[in-house]
Amino acid sequence: MRPKHKALLFNFIAFVTLFLMARLILGYFLPINRIFLAVTSAIIANVLAPKFGAIQTDEGEKVLMKWIFIKGMREL
């Protein structure tokens, strides 16, 4: 699997996981409209999800992760 495809898959998995967790938790505690619940969950997931990207180096392509809870970028 190419590193670009891995980064895209990791981005999707991280977003979906956080989106579902936020939607279930907010839906349990707050009685709000379903569309506002989905939009709020998407915003929360977009802010909290780690970002993955593939970069070209001398050794080849690498997948890196950047997240608001860690400093700098981390190689996978």
Side-chain angles (χ1 to χ4, degrees):
M1 184 180 277
R2 294 181 55 202
K4 285 185 180 182
H5 296 141
K6 280 185 184 179
L8 182 66
L9 184 64
F10 289 155
N11 280 325
F12 178 73
I13 291 171
F15 178 82
V16 167
T17 303
L18 288 172
F19 175 80
L20 290 175
M21 286 175 38
R23 184 167 170 119
L24 290 174
I25 291 170
L26 290 176
Y28 183 76
F29 289 112
L30 300 175
I32 59 176
N33 192 356
R34 294 168 82 181
I35 189 72
F36 295 125
L37 180 62
V39 169
T40 305
S41 299
I43 291 171
I44 290 171
N46 198 19
V47 170
L48 294 179
K51 309 300 187 266
F52 296 91
I55 63 163
Q56 184 68 33
T57 63
D58 296 334
E59 302 166 357
E61 278 190 307
K62 293 185 178 182
V63 178
L64 297 178
M65 177 188 75
K66 185 174 182 179
W67 201 17
I68 61 172
F69 298 115
I70 61 171
K71 189 175 184 177
M73 300 182 92
R74 185 170 293 173
E75 181 182 342
L76 298 179

